[in-house]
Amino acid sequence: MEIIVCIRRAPTTDARIKPGADGKSYDPAGVNYDISEYDKFAIEAAIQLKEKHGGKVTVLSLGPTDTTKELRTAIATGCDAAALLVSTGNHDSWTTAQALAAKIKSLPHDMVLFGWNSVDAQSSATGQMVAELLGLPCATVAVGLEVAGGAAAVERLAAGGNREKLSLKLPCVVTCQKGLNKPRQPNLTGIMAAKKTPVEETPAQVPAGGVATLRLDPPPPRPAGKIVGKGPEAAKALVGLLRNEAKVI
Amino acid sequence: MGKFESPDFYAIDALLSEDDRNVRDTVRGFVDDNVMPVIEKHYEAGTFPTEIIPKLGELGVLGATLPEEYGCAGMNNVAYGLINQELERGDSGVRSFSSVQSALVMYPIYAYGSEEQKKKWLPKLASARAIGCFGLTEPDYGSNPAGMITRAVKDGKDWVLNGAKMWITNGNMSDVAVVWAKTGNSDDPKSIRGFLVEKGMPGYDVREQKHKASLRASVTSELFFADVRVPEENMFPKAEGLKGPLGCLTQARYGISWGAIGAGMACYDLARQYAAERIVFGKPLAGHQTTQHKLAHMLTELTKAQLLSWRLGKLKDEGKMTHFQVSMAKMNNVAIALDIARVAREILGANGISLEYHVIRHMCNLESVKTYEGTNDIHSLALGQAITGIPAYS
């Protein structure tokens, strides 16, 4: 199987994101980057499919040259090849999808995997857009993925907490959700081997987009806490508030 | 307490390569996932977390600087140091397990062993399918290994070993022991040779040393040799005299200098977080001058230690490191880590003695780390020799 995993370099989930001086983008100071959290489930799914069915996993990203770090981490984890479409711009989902789809067309692919959402842009749209551009069937928020007989069996989260089971003819696009698998950690031998694996870097061909960021504002400050009293009476009042006001018990 | 935040006051991260940082972050994640959830329980029970042994092999930390042809990761020495730092951020016992396997068992097999010995043992030790230990210290000979009384006498094609070793990390878990013994007269340290004693060899026995108040999540053992017949092919062909074991110790002490930083970082970060949250006299403990003075002292010493070990790693990679420089780093970094642990314990007050907050565990562990692999006193004498040219210990 030829599998392509599209990943995004994004702030780590514990990063403190705050608006930068331009008021439009976040301040990168003190922010550490990693593979966007949900993309890790896509990488693990690809490696598991390769282990079961054989083949090759190529990891692909659009981003600044620093993204080679995340691509090498993917290789250290078990992916076979990496390609980076170099761009320092902040692109919306549609233009990102066009750049990725153009590259994917030039690569053999039985399956293209994405994380269902990126932890920074949070548009949860790129995977579906790439599927549209490639004319491929697509399943989103997958929590189960198997391949047999030229088709992918996908279990996905549906409305009301229901589980929907789909069959997609290969090649197809699947976006991956937490619960699909437990992403493995790269090992140190893999990290050393990844050093020797070249990352193909080409300038990204990103068309002009129709979306412009106007402002990025911090969330409103959290309201002050409320002290309901002292002693046993306070416990009673607290339970009342939790039950009637917060409605959590 | 919140997630661990690594202090980096002098932007030392920028001195590390991307691969070095990647290795460090990978091991840090491993420790968070596999060591931190179980270490308190094991420390209290006095057991080593054996469940992590295969995972350490899979991760590739064992013998990480040795070549890939033997199943190792082929890393540089800064990356190896960072591995030790992260493991000891978890627990000194876990780092000791890895140090012994890497620097005291795999390194001598690689540096002094025959090709057959390397092929037989290194891949197994790298993947943790075999565990090793290092027998140098004896009940009556610690800082003065030249006085050892364990003897090996040639008998036909075998060597016959008699004697005992003590304070041996991993002893009871080991499939192979690197044992140092005199092959000549008892007053002839030049006759010291290294042997690979294998589990199950008749006359070879081990006994775990219990009742420790330090390094409780680590196996410490006595090794006994009563007419143990060791085949000639199990002797290291390329190590003669004390230089053999001392060469191993230089490797291990290098790793310890980094490991101590990890324990110190853990204690500093715990104290910093605790001080920010704990309210005393109506304001955070961190807002009191005495606490700030302590935190400033801790961070300063940690930063100096980080720079010391980073430079030492670069020198080691360039082949320019001396064992005197290693003595300085081991002596300094363990001493400051122990000091930081003690001060952190003070900042945490009564909570500081609870295993739940980790600092007392690090503090007790570091008392051992200060003593093993050359006490602070011995390392200061090594430095004294480097300064004056006069060895005070001979």
Side-chain angles (χ1 to χ4, degrees):
Chain A
M1 273 189 85
E2 295 279 352
I3 306 167
I4 296 172
V5 186
C6 296
I7 67 166
R8 181 177 174 91
R9 171 183 164 87
T12 53
T13 48
D14 58 355
R16 290 168 193 152
I17 304 290
K18 53 182 191 293
D22 65 358
K24 295 181 181 179
S25 58
Y26 61 81
D27 181 359
V31 173
N32 292 317
Y33 293 85
D34 193 6
I35 297 169
S36 182
E37 204 59 21
Y38 299 106
D39 297 349
K40 294 176 184 174
F41 301 105
I43 290 170
E44 179 62 31
I47 296 167
Q48 286 186 13
L49 286 171
K50 181 185 77 166
E51 286 171 348
K52 200 167 176 184
H53 302 284
K56 180 182 172 187
V57 177
T58 301
V59 61
L60 172 65
S61 189
L62 170 73
T65 50
D66 288 347
T67 311
T68 51
K69 170 181 165 278
E70 282 67 39
L71 291 169
R72 287 196 192 286
T73 301
I75 292 170
T77 310
C79 297
D80 304 291
L84 174 63
L85 305 174
V86 182
S87 172
T88 51
N90 187 18
H91 307 295
D92 62 45
S93 301
W94 176 234
T95 51
T96 301
Q98 289 178 76
L100 291 175
K103 178 66 182 175
I104 293 167
K105 274 181 191 166
S106 72
L107 299 169
H109 54 274
D110 297 302
M111 185 175 285
V112 184
L113 297 173
F114 288 82
W116 78 276
N117 193 13
S118 63
V119 296
D120 54 351
Q122 303 199 22
S123 301
S124 55
T126 308
Q128 298 92 306
M129 288 173 168
V130 166
E132 179 69 21
L133 287 164
L134 296 174
L136 298 180
C138 177
T140 56
V141 286
V143 290
L145 176 61
E146 299 283 344
V147 168
V154 175
E155 187 175 346
R156 67 183 295 275
L157 295 178
N162 294 301
R163 299 281 177 128
E164 191 175 26
K165 291 199 168 91
L166 305 174
S167 177
L168 282 76
K169 204 173 161 194
L170 299 184
C172 67
V173 175
V174 178
T175 74
C176 304
Q177 167 65 304
K178 185 179 180 180
L180 175 61
N181 49 46
K182 186 174 184 297
R184 70 193 71 185
Q185 295 289 324
N187 67 23
L188 306 192
T189 318
I191 290 171
M192 296 309 285
K195 273 172 75 169
K196 295 173 191 157
T197 308
V199 173
E200 178 200 314
E201 292 184 52
T202 49
Q205 303 295 324
V206 189
V211 178
T213 304
L214 300 179
R215 290 194 55 76
L216 180 67
D217 293 320
R222 290 168 64 181
K226 190 191 288 183
I227 294 172
V228 296
K230 283 186 177 177
E233 285 308 306
K236 212 172 179 180
L238 184 62
V239 168
L241 287 170
L242 289 171
R243 181 171 290 146
N244 303 321
E245 199 171 294
K247 296 192 166 101
V248 292
I249 56 172
Chain B
M1 304 295 271
K3 198 176 172 193
F4 169 70
E5 281 184 36
S6 171
D8 185 20
F9 198 65
Y10 262 40
I12 295 162
D13 258 27
L15 299 173
L16 307 175
S17 72
E18 183 185 307
D19 290 321
D20 294 341
R21 289 194 296 267
N22 207 353
V23 166
R24 182 208 45 206
D25 295 346
T26 299
V27 180
R28 183 170 293 171
F30 174 88
V31 168
D32 281 337
D33 294 344
N34 297 281
V35 177
M36 298 317 293
V38 302
I39 195 65
E40 181 189 332
K41 177 188 77 180
H42 279 289
Y43 191 90
E44 192 153 24
T47 53
F48 183 79
T50 52
E51 62 269 33
I52 69 167
I53 293 175
K55 293 178 186 172
L56 284 169
E58 207 174 291
L59 184 62
V61 301
L62 304 173
T65 55
L66 301 183
E68 292 160 45
E69 63 180 295
Y70 298 113
C72 304
M75 293 195 158
N76 68 51
N77 285 289
V78 171
Y80 174 70
L82 290 164
I83 291 171
N84 284 279
Q85 171 188 295
E86 293 307 316
L87 292 177
E88 194 147 359
R89 202 258 303 174
D91 189 79
S92 301
V94 173
R95 199 270 306 139
S96 296
F97 171 87
S98 172
S99 277
V100 167
Q101 182 97 336
S102 301
L104 298 182
V105 180
M106 296 177 72
Y107 171 78
I109 292 173
Y110 174 71
Y112 311 135
S114 66
E115 196 53 39
E116 290 72 28
Q117 290 168 351
K118 292 182 207 181
K119 282 182 177 152
K120 178 177 178 181
W121 287 108
L122 292 180
K124 279 198 268 189
L125 291 161
S127 60
R129 284 177 288 127
I131 297 169
C133 66
F134 178 86
L136 177 67
T137 296
E138 298 188 354
D140 294 322
Y141 296 93
S143 294
N144 178 22
M148 70 169 67
I149 54 177
T150 298
R151 300 272 316 266
V153 177
K154 193 77 188 276
D155 183 31
K157 287 185 176 176
D158 296 334
W159 289 89
V160 179
L161 253 70
N162 279 286
K165 301 290 179 179
M166 199 171 182
W167 305 113
I168 309 303
T169 300
N170 297 352
N172 276 65
M173 299 193 287
S174 289
D175 301 285
V176 62
V178 170
V179 177
W180 301 93
K182 281 178 183 156
T183 57
N185 293 331
S186 59
D187 60 353
D188 181 14
K190 286 183 182 151
S191 74
I192 290 172
R193 302 295 297 262
F195 299 87
L196 291 166
V197 178
E198 298 176 27
K199 184 179 177 180
M201 282 182 166
Y204 171 42
D205 200 10
V206 292
R207 185 169 61 205
E208 188 167 356
Q209 293 176 245
K210 288 289 195 181
H211 311 297
K212 294 177 296 175
S214 170
L215 287 181
R216 289 185 55 74
S218 176
V219 170
T220 311
S221 310
E222 288 178 273
L223 313 182
F224 303 98
F225 310 96
D227 291 329
V228 181
R229 296 193 81 84
V230 180
E232 171 76 23
E233 63 260 29
N234 278 30
M235 187 173 83
F236 288 144
K238 290 181 271 186
E240 284 184 55
L242 260 185
K243 276 187 179 171
L246 293 183
C248 304
L249 293 176
T250 298
Q251 304 299 315
R253 290 163 178 167
Y254 168 79
I256 292 169
S257 87
W258 283 89
I261 296 170
M265 289 190 338
C267 293
Y268 165 78
D269 191 54
L270 283 159
R272 183 190 60 79
Q273 289 191 40
Y274 184 89
E277 289 170 13
R278 175 83 178 190
I279 305 297
V280 182
F281 298 115
K283 66 176 179 180
L285 186 57
H288 294 267
Q289 286 189 3
T290 48
T291 309
Q292 290 189 359
H293 174 77
K294 287 171 183 164
L295 290 170
H297 166 70
M298 292 158 99
L299 181 60
T300 305
E301 292 305 323
L302 263 180
T303 303
K304 284 150 68 178
Q306 286 171 325
L307 288 166
L308 207 58
S309 278
W310 174 80
R311 178 64 187 143
L312 191 65
K314 286 293 178 191
L315 287 170
K316 194 169 192 298
D317 278 338
E318 291 165 15
K320 295 176 184 167
M321 182 186 85
T322 69
H323 71 83
F324 296 119
Q325 291 167 334
V326 177
S327 283
M328 179 184 277
K330 193 272 180 185
M331 178 179 79
N332 178 77
N333 292 7
V334 179
I336 67 104
L338 178 56
D339 184 40
I340 287 168
R342 288 172 178 162
V343 176
R345 213 289 306 147
E346 282 177 25
I347 290 175
L348 268 73
N351 285 319
I353 69 159
S354 166
L355 286 176
E356 189 185 338
Y357 286 89
H358 305 297
V359 293
I360 191 75
R361 176 169 55 79
H362 282 300
M363 192 185 107
C364 292
N365 281 339
L366 287 163
E367 290 287 352
S368 293
V369 181
K370 192 179 181 188
T371 293
Y372 74 18
E373 303 270 356
T375 64
N376 263 34
D377 290 342
I378 288 292
H379 284 300
S380 67
L381 294 186
L383 279 176
Q385 183 187 0
I387 297 162
T388 66
I390 309 164
Y393 35 55
S394 63

